[in-house]
Amino acid sequence: MASRVCLVHYHEIGLKGKNRKTFEDQLCTNLRLALRDLPVAHVGRISGHLLVTFSTAEAPLVAAPLIRQVPGVARVSVAFRCERDPEQFCAAAVEALAEAEPFSTFKVHAKRSNTDYELHTMDLNRLVGTALCHAFPEKKVDVHEPDATVHVLVNQGNVYVYCASEPGVGGLPVGTAAKCVSLFSSGFDSPVATWMMGRRGAVMVPVHFSGRPQTSDASEWTCQDIVRALQPEGAIGRLYVVPFGDCQREIALAVPQSLRVIMYRRLMYDVAQRIARVEGAKALVTGESLGQVASQTLENITATSEVVEGLPVLRPLIGSDKQEIMARAKAIGTYELSAQTVPDCCTLFMPRRPETHARLADVHTAWEAFDHEAMAERLLDEVEWVDFPGCAAYRPPKRWRPRHEELAPL
């Protein structure tokens, strides 16, 4: 008797050679966590695919949209798992094609992952195609551009039959790359940059610089909501918040007005790299896009990045424009949250005319005008955090093991 399962397809993992099993195992772990609220019976590897089985018949249809959002998944198909019995898998093919209505043309695409089955792929195509022609006499066969394709996969003792197949996000499983710290705001850019790095297998640790106590804590709660929206990806295990408002005020009083933003960002980078060292992270990630705002000219990016020592600063959005970034935000589910207007440190003590082409000599003079070392250490002592359950690969550092249930104090 045929049962419904989710057949998970991948592309990039298949190129990993001797490391392929490591990537497959990590993807299995991530899928188990993503589907933890569903009645999953088993998540395992079969030849060239991953297989997710369930204890109820309805669960695969609910699970497929969640599986699609897990990095490493190229496609997911809700398939019928059959024995190697032609009568059984032909009946499953009829049912699978019926689910593809409406359609006018179809074809059968058979494939064998094992050659120990007596029927060749051409024989399977003819056998299943004949059954479908009898079941749907009003439909036509089109082997070039069909409206629907019935896939018949012979794999490790079973036959998997499916028609509907939805694309996933692709990329690599979270946990197969190193940990990264991202500078995280409630706007559009940094959540998209964080998501993009998670899609490449990185475990992401966002750090949000709040305007508190000079502003309300609204941006902190919005950032938490954004992290929850990104939970299906499974890349974020912890969000750090740094109350930054008082330091901004001190800097605003100490440095030339035009260089305030660069000083703010240099201090943010400095604190972020200190958190990265505690976390054991291998890079910083920002949502900067070249020329998008005054602080993102090449000269200002150079002046800001200068404070980071021993870590690369990755900017996945550097060549993207705002429309592209907002389109990606809509696709990953963060757009509506980021579109909210909330007070944060980005609008606090802003100069009327920020410097767009900073000279390093002027930057160094302004940097020495306040005790940035003591300020960074103070911010590190005041850092707050909240943990999220969606990242299988995240391990908290020993220094900050206790969990804060809420970010803002009562």
Side-chain angles (χ1 to χ4, degrees):
M1 180 178 177
S3 60
R4 301 304 293 267
V5 299
C6 283
L7 198 61
V8 179
H9 314 254
Y10 51 74
H11 291 162
E12 209 168 336
I13 293 176
L15 305 176
K16 293 301 177 181
K18 294 180 180 179
N19 293 327
R20 179 167 159 178
K21 181 180 181 298
T22 300
F23 284 78
E24 289 177 330
D25 288 344
Q26 184 64 58
L27 183 52
C28 285
T29 299
N30 296 348
L31 287 172
R32 292 187 192 100
L33 186 59
L35 302 175
R36 60 190 179 278
D37 295 328
L38 296 179
V40 175
H42 180 69
V43 179
R45 302 159 54 226
I46 61 175
S47 180
H49 300 79
L50 300 182
L51 181 66
V52 185
T53 62
F54 303 86
S55 56
T56 64
E58 302 80 13
L61 297 174
V62 179
L66 298 175
I67 294 173
R68 290 177 57 196
Q69 300 178 71
V70 177
V73 175
R75 286 185 297 119
V76 58
S77 307
V78 180
F80 292 90
R81 182 172 63 174
C82 313
E83 297 176 359
R84 292 185 177 184
D85 176 5
E87 183 176 349
Q88 187 177 127
F89 62 71
C90 283
V94 171
E95 191 170 347
L97 187 56
E99 294 178 350
E101 288 282 12
F103 67 95
S104 299
T105 59
F106 72 92
K107 78 169 185 178
V108 178
H109 179 75
K111 181 180 179 181
R112 296 186 305 171
S113 294
N114 306 90
T115 58
D116 60 349
Y117 188 48
E118 62 273 12
L119 293 178
H120 192 270
T121 54
M122 296 299 293
D123 299 324
L124 288 167
N125 283 335
R126 281 192 292 267
L127 180 64
V128 175
T130 299
L132 294 176
C133 286
H134 285 308
F136 302 92
E138 73 284 3
K139 310 295 185 181
K140 295 181 179 180
V141 175
D142 183 347
V143 297
H144 299 294
E145 296 183 355
D147 298 328
T149 300
V150 176
H151 297 265
V152 181
L153 173 64
V154 181
N155 191 314
Q156 295 183 202
N158 293 109
V159 178
Y160 299 91
V161 180
Y162 61 92
C163 191
S165 189
E166 296 294 330
V169 298
L172 296 172
V174 173
T176 56
K179 186 185 289 186
C180 297
V181 165
S182 65
L183 280 77
F184 197 82
S185 76
S186 58
F188 294 105
D189 302 347
S190 55
V192 171
T194 299
W195 180 89
M196 290 179 69
M197 291 302 298
R199 183 174 173 268
R200 299 309 304 162
V203 177
M204 300 305 298
V205 183
V207 178
H208 175 61
F209 290 86
S210 169
R212 179 160 53 90
Q214 301 296 326
T215 68
S216 74
D217 58 3
S219 67
E220 303 169 26
W221 301 107
T222 301
C223 284
Q224 287 193 66
D225 291 339
I226 291 173
V227 170
R228 292 189 185 95
L230 295 175
Q231 283 298 283
E233 184 191 32
I236 300 175
R238 172 174 286 187
L239 167 69
Y240 287 100
V241 167
V242 181
F244 197 58
D246 283 345
C247 288
Q248 284 185 269
R249 184 176 182 275
E250 294 175 33
I251 292 172
L253 295 172
V255 306
Q257 184 182 114
S258 62
L259 294 176
R260 285 180 190 173
V261 174
I262 295 176
M263 295 303 108
Y264 298 159
R265 295 188 67 79
R266 282 173 69 97
L267 186 58
M268 289 178 186
Y269 275 54
D270 193 7
V271 174
Q273 74 172 333
R274 293 167 192 251
I275 293 175
R277 294 192 189 107
V278 173
E279 281 279 354
K282 303 302 182 183
L284 299 185
V285 176
T286 78
E288 291 166 314
S289 172
L290 184 61
Q292 183 170 270
V293 295
S295 65
Q296 295 175 11
T297 62
L298 284 177
E299 292 88 345
N300 289 1
I301 287 174
T302 300
T304 303
S305 304
E306 186 187 36
V307 300
V308 181
E309 299 177 358
L311 290 175
V313 180
L314 307 179
R315 299 176 173 89
L317 304 181
I318 195 68
S320 302
D321 62 34
K322 199 65 175 183
Q323 296 304 313
E324 293 169 330
I325 295 169
M326 290 169 70
R328 180 59 68 91
K330 291 178 180 178
I332 65 177
T334 61
Y335 178 86
E336 297 297 334
L337 293 167
S338 295
Q340 300 177 47
T341 302
V342 293
D344 63 9
C345 69
C346 296
T347 58
L348 191 60
F349 304 115
M350 292 296 290
R352 294 179 181 177
R353 295 181 180 178
E355 178 62 66
T356 56
H357 302 285
R359 295 184 300 175
L360 285 179
D362 296 335
V363 170
H364 294 161
T365 300
W367 187 238
E368 297 304 324
F370 62 98
D371 193 347
H372 53 82
E373 179 70 23
M375 199 174 285
E377 284 297 324
R378 187 178 85 205
L379 290 172
L380 200 64
D381 290 338
E382 295 173 353
V383 70
E384 303 168 9
W385 67 90
V386 63
D387 289 331
F388 295 86
C391 183
Y394 178 74
R395 300 292 181 272
K398 292 182 179 179
R399 176 172 173 179
W400 291 324
R401 189 64 59 83
R403 175 178 177 177
H404 287 237
E405 294 296 336
E406 295 184 350
L407 291 175
L410 295 176

